[in-house]
Amino acid sequence: MLAALGYTTIGLFLLLTMTKRVSVLVALVLLPVLAALAGGFGDELGDLILEGLTTVAPTGIMIAFAVLYFSLMVDAGLFDPLIRGILRVVRNDPLRITVGTAVLTMCVALDGDGASTFLITVSALLPVYKRLGMSPLVLSGVVCLGAGVMNMIPWGGPTVRAMAALKLESSEVFTPVLPAMGFGIAWVLVASYLIGRRERRRLGMLDSQGHDRTEDDAEDRREPDAHPAAGVGDGPGTLRVPAPARPWLTVFNLVLTIALVVCLILEVMPLPVLFVLGFAIAMLVNHPTWEQQQALLDKHAKSVVLVTTMIFAAGVLTGVLTGTKMIDSMAEALVGVIPDALGGHLPVLVALTSMPLSLVFTPDAYYFGVLPVLGQTADGFGVPPAEVARAAILGQMTTGFPLSPLTASTFILVGMSGVQLGEHQRFIFRWAFATTLVMTVGALITGAFSL
């Protein structure tokens, strides 16, 4: 009965969220409550929910202050010198521009927010692509690859959801796959090089009259900029980001961010504590007055509320399903279906299938609906659930590429780039799946999970 009730709850959750009958937050809270009442757990409901909320509280705190920290850094112009440097180096070579697009995307994507990543990179580079006649599919595709890999960071969507769904710490999920993520970053650079070389071959460095493409007339060099915050560049179609008013502040923010990232990797303190301290220091230095600090919090409050409420709502679902033993019963039922020969290979199967599944499941549906069952099933075969979580983020980071029509940020990217979703998917899918394959191999080599 418990297994049937659990599967019914998950099935309704997937149905309601994928058809957009209700919001994910409503489904995460009300469906497990109804399931608990139907299963006769009404008297324990309060304790079950509180236990679930307590479990995800550190994750909720971490993501809240991570969003605030990196939003502050974006506002402060921390990434502006990087943009200037990349645009100065790549100039008018399609190959360099493509690789520069990947580098810029992976740096900006450190904030874990796909929307801001796409806003910054596409706004900065689309005029360059148009000026040189480069395909906007190259822009949207390479941004997809870079953002997808970086979406594995502990405050990124897939990893946060995996930790919340299986009640794991960053040290159990992210740290072991860090080398595999390095494989993914290297592959994205290789892929962008190959894509850029193909684009360079298509365009050629010389125009039909045999003139260098960089030797256009002076009027063309002064083509109006499409980005309201940028100025005239150093060459045709390039942009020049205004220099910060307080250079010393940019240096401070860079040093603070590097120190924070190093401390996060070394786990000097718990991740939530590091982000709380880092944000407090950054806000004090960048916005020293009370009025400025309040304005900053008001500006980014919506982003924080949207992401943290989802995490705590997930705590309700996981608390009820775990506390009532529904997850255990569901896993036992699934163990009876999966052949024993495949049980030990579950992490690899999850890694290879989670990427295609991200095209039909929302991130919330997969992580909060499917992953807990996979985790318990793996445990039944003697495979640590943490290995399944690691495998899942290797493929489900496709939601950060993005490719899925169920992910809102997908439409931000294709809309800004001016490409059709179907063309975008056909152009970059094989490169994205290859990224997952490369990282899966890297995870096997480095021992993040076993074959």
Side-chain angles (χ1 to χ4, degrees), residues 302-339:
K302 180 180 178 181
S303 298
V304 174
V305 169
L306 287 176
V307 68
T308 54
T309 52
M310 201 69 65
I311 296 301
F312 285 109
V316 178
L317 177 67
T318 56
V320 170
L321 293 185
T322 302
T324 59
K325 305 299 181 183
M326 288 186 198
I327 286 288
D328 294 335
S329 300
M330 294 164 66
E332 290 174 4
L334 192 56
V335 166
V337 176
I338 298 177

Side-chain angles (χ1 to χ4, degrees), residues 327-328 331 335 343 346-347 372-386 388:
I327 286 288
D328 294 335
V335 166
L346 200 55
V373 179
L374 293 175
Q376 282 298 109
T377 303
D379 193 43
F381 285 105
V383 177
V388 175

Side-chain angles (χ1 to χ4, degrees), residues 40-396:
F41 297 97
D43 294 341
E44 307 171 39
L45 186 58
D47 291 336
L48 294 174
I49 293 176
L50 185 59
E51 178 66 23
L53 293 173
T54 302
T55 302
V56 300
T59 301
I61 295 170
M62 180 191 72
I63 191 67
F65 283 92
V67 170
L68 286 172
Y69 180 87
F70 284 106
S71 296
L72 184 156
M73 291 302 166
V74 170
D75 290 349
L78 176 62
F79 301 107
D80 289 352
L82 175 65
I83 295 174
R84 288 198 303 271
I86 290 177
L87 293 177
R88 186 163 49 248
V89 170
V90 301
R91 298 188 64 80
N92 298 292
D93 183 356
L95 190 153
R96 290 187 179 185
I97 290 173
T98 306
V99 176
T101 300
V103 173
L104 177 61
T105 301
M106 288 189 286
C107 291
V108 177
L110 277 171
D111 68 348
D113 180 11
S116 65
T117 299
F118 305 146
L119 286 169
I120 293 172
T121 54
V122 177
S123 296
L125 295 174
L126 184 58
V128 181
Y129 276 70
K130 287 184 176 181
R131 179 65 184 81
L132 297 181
M134 294 179 64
S135 171
L137 286 172
V138 174
L139 175 59
S140 64
V142 173
V143 170
C144 275
L145 296 179
V149 170
M150 297 308 296
N151 209 35
M152 291 172 60
I153 54 181
W155 51 94
T159 307
V160 165
R161 290 181 177 93
M163 291 188 295
L166 296 185
K167 300 179 180 178
L168 299 170
E169 299 293 331
S170 174
S171 59
E172 299 174 276
V173 178
F174 175 70
T175 304
V177 299
L178 191 56
M181 183 178 176
F183 276 75
I185 292 173
W187 165 252
V188 168
L189 294 176
V190 170
S192 61
Y193 174 85
L194 296 174
I195 294 172
R197 187 175 64 177
R198 185 174 62 185
E199 188 69 359
R200 175 203 269 174
R201 187 181 303 118
R202 184 181 72 85
L203 295 173
M205 294 301 291
L206 300 177
D207 62 21
S208 58
Q209 281 78 36
H211 297 108
D212 192 322
R213 295 178 64 89
T214 64
E215 296 299 324
D216 295 324
D217 57 65
E219 287 299 319
D220 286 340
R221 290 174 184 254
R222 290 169 174 78
E223 180 181 331
D225 195 305
H227 192 282
V232 178
D234 299 317
T238 58
L239 302 177
R240 175 164 48 82
V241 179
R246 296 179 291 174
W248 67 267
L249 191 56
T250 299
V251 174
F252 171 83
N253 288 334
L254 178 61
V255 172
L256 178 62
T257 301
I258 293 174
L260 177 60
V261 171
V262 170
C263 290
L264 290 171
I265 294 174
L266 297 179
E267 298 182 34
V268 175
M269 286 188 285
L271 268 64
V273 175
L274 289 172
F275 272 115
V276 169
L277 294 176
F279 174 67
I281 294 171
M283 184 165 64
L284 178 63
V285 175
N286 287 267
H287 304 278
T289 68
W290 181 89
E291 291 79 9
Q292 293 174 338
Q293 294 168 5
Q294 288 301 113
L296 175 72
L297 295 174
D298 289 341
K299 179 178 180 180
H300 299 292
K302 180 180 178 181
S303 298
V304 174
V305 169
L306 287 176
V307 68
T308 54
T309 52
M310 201 69 65
I311 296 301
F312 285 109
V316 178
L317 177 67
T318 56
V320 170
L321 293 185
T322 302
T324 59
K325 305 299 181 183
M326 288 186 198
I327 286 288
D328 294 335
S329 300
M330 294 164 66
E332 290 174 4
L334 192 56
V335 166
V337 176
I338 298 177
D340 292 341
L342 296 179
H345 305 294
L346 200 55
V348 175
L349 294 176
V350 170
L352 296 179
T353 59
S354 59
M355 188 273 185
L357 286 176
S358 69
L359 298 177
V360 295
F361 286 110
T362 65
D364 298 305
Y366 182 85
Y367 282 101
F368 300 134
V370 177
L371 186 59
V373 179
L374 293 175
Q376 282 298 109
T377 303
D379 193 43
F381 285 105
V383 177
E387 291 193 8
V388 175
R390 297 167 199 161
I393 65 175
L394 295 181
Q396 275 287 311

